[in-house]
Amino acid sequence: MASRTLFLCSLQVAFVILFGLAEAQLQLNFYSKTCPNVEDIVRKEMSEILSIAPSLAGPILRMHFHDCFVRGCDGSVLIDSTKNNTAEKDAPPNQTLRGFNALERIKRKLEKACPDTVSCADLLAIAARDAVLLSKGPTWPVWLGRRDGRVSMAKETKQLPPPTANFTQLTQMFGAKGLSIKDLVVLSAGHTIGTSHCQSFSDRLYNFTGKVNLNDIDPLLDTQYISRLRTRCTLTDNTTIVEMDPGSFKTFDTSYYKLVAKGRGLFHSDASLLANSFTKDYVFKHANGLQSEFFQDFAASMINMGNVQVLTGNQGEIRKKCYVVN
């Protein structure tokens, strides 16, 4: 029954966004002749990787998000820094990203099967979809044909929505990428899998207005949850990690919305979803279930995000190794 639901979800989503993707020249069957087994190869590798390290699902999904918000979905987040350039991956917002070695492992398999054919940008898009699916989440058709960018600069990561963002900032940053308020509230639920370092939210526990004391807390954060988080995090802690969706951080589901509705969203950006009537209604609606509807929405929004500022045709290149330009 679950697989049938996922299939119907994918089919519906494909029709919804078909017209928009045609403009970007992405195709469902882009590799049908040049690398017909690309998705099977990625799925097999992702299955093996997550069976050993299931906690990598969240980081790989996050990496796709961080890639698409800077220069579009061009794989630039995967490029290493050089002597003369600090790349995106070494900028503060990306220093906690994980999964680079896993993606390079998959890239080697793809290069062996189909040399100089599959872009790192497409690989990341497929791997992110599989990370969600293998965490008991939805699936969706990944439109392919992205080319890899040749530029990666740390200073451009200011385009990434920070965990401290308020609702106005979030809507502006999502809107700059052609994404809607609905995409914002739906994609935020990617926080249902994965972990976060304390430094991303510790100000809400100790220093929300700059007073640095135990009473200087974010009033939007549940007080019992604050007490619980304080047992794990200090204000200056930059190494400890906590589950973003406690008790369910390896399972993709609607429990994220239940937490946000209770004032237990980990980040200020999570709490910001309650500042707007549309996003607040969406949070409370899905906090009470409707998982199949959320899965369909998440699939649609992931496809929307995966279409942001893509390089196609003769633009960019197909990197042989994802961490270095050709």
Side-chain angles (χ1 to χ4, degrees):
M1 179 63 71
S3 61
R4 181 171 179 266
T5 300
L6 293 175
F7 171 76
L8 291 175
C9 169
S10 299
L11 192 61
Q12 290 168 339
V13 170
F15 282 113
V16 168
I17 54 84
L18 177 60
F19 178 77
L21 282 171
E23 285 189 318
Q25 300 175 11
L26 299 183
Q27 304 170 29
L28 281 178
N29 61 350
F30 186 82
Y31 296 110
S32 61
K33 295 181 180 179
T34 56
C35 194
N37 295 323
V38 56
E39 295 195 50
D40 292 335
I41 293 171
V42 176
R43 177 71 55 78
K44 180 177 183 294
E45 292 301 307
M46 283 293 294
S47 296
E48 293 180 1
I49 290 167
L50 294 184
S51 69
I52 299 170
S55 64
L56 278 181
I60 289 176
L61 173 61
R62 181 182 174 218
M63 195 183 300
H64 182 41
F65 180 94
H66 281 221
D67 184 40
C68 292
F69 265 73
V70 181
R71 288 187 166 266
C73 309
D74 68 345
S76 56
V77 73
L78 304 173
I79 297 174
D80 281 351
S81 295
T82 64
K83 181 179 179 180
N84 299 316
N85 178 65
T86 303
E88 293 170 31
K89 66 163 58 173
D90 291 317
N94 289 333
Q95 288 175 358
T96 56
L97 287 179
R98 296 186 298 124
F100 294 104
N101 291 337
L103 291 167
E104 205 58 46
R105 163 183 162 171
I106 302 172
K107 177 62 171 173
R108 288 194 295 269
K109 292 284 187 178
L110 290 173
E111 284 297 305
K112 183 177 181 181
C114 317
D116 305 318
T117 301
V118 181
S119 69
C120 297
D122 276 346
L123 160 58
L124 183 51
I126 299 170
R129 187 270 313 274
D130 289 351
V132 172
L133 175 62
L134 293 169
S135 300
K136 301 182 180 180
T139 187
W140 57 89
V142 179
W143 296 71
L144 301 168
R146 299 169 189 79
R147 302 273 290 182
D148 293 324
R150 298 189 179 97
V151 177
S152 181
M153 296 186 288
K155 64 181 181 181
E156 295 189 335
T157 58
K158 62 184 179 181
Q159 301 171 68
L160 289 168
T164 56
N166 60 36
F167 187 77
T168 298
Q169 292 169 323
L170 290 171
T171 54
Q172 290 174 344
M173 298 179 98
F174 271 70
K177 303 303 175 184
L179 298 172
S180 68
I181 292 179
K182 183 173 183 179
D183 291 321
L184 164 60
V185 68
V186 170
L187 292 174
S188 293
H191 292 165
T192 189
I193 53 174
T195 57
S196 170
H197 285 75
C198 293
Q199 64 186 10
S200 294
F201 59 86
S202 58
D203 65 307
R204 304 184 75 196
L205 312 179
Y206 301 101
N207 189 35
F208 192 61
T209 64
K211 297 178 182 178
V212 194
N213 63 59
L214 293 180
N215 295 318
D216 193 15
I217 61 176
D218 185 344
L220 298 179
L221 190 58
D222 177 75
T223 54
Q224 290 185 347
Y225 195 36
I226 289 176
S227 298
R228 182 171 161 188
L229 290 171
R230 280 176 171 172
T231 66
R232 300 289 309 279
C233 302
T234 64
L235 181 59
T236 57
D237 187 344
N238 59 6
T239 57
T240 302
I241 59 175
V242 300
E243 300 172 5
M244 292 190 289
D245 187 352
S248 180
F249 79 110
K250 294 180 183 178
T251 303
F252 196 94
D253 52 28
T254 56
S255 58
Y256 165 80
Y257 292 120
K258 295 177 183 178
L259 291 172
V260 174
K262 294 177 180 178
R264 294 191 172 194
L266 194 58
F267 309 120
H268 184 68
S269 58
D270 295 325
S272 295
L273 298 178
L274 302 181
N276 171 270
S277 60
F278 176 84
T279 54
K280 181 179 180 180
D281 288 347
Y282 192 93
V283 167
F284 278 89
K285 178 180 180 181
H286 292 85
N288 295 319
L290 297 176
Q291 183 162 283
S292 61
E293 179 182 300
F294 162 61
F295 276 12
Q296 181 173 330
D297 288 344
F298 191 82
S301 288
M302 283 298 293
I303 296 173
N304 291 341
M305 187 185 75
N307 192 39
V308 170
Q309 296 173 299
V310 294
L311 302 176
T312 59
N314 294 321
Q315 299 172 314
E317 64 182 13
I318 303 297
R319 278 183 236 135
K320 296 178 182 296
K321 297 178 180 179
C322 291
Y323 59 86
V324 62
V325 298
N326 294 341

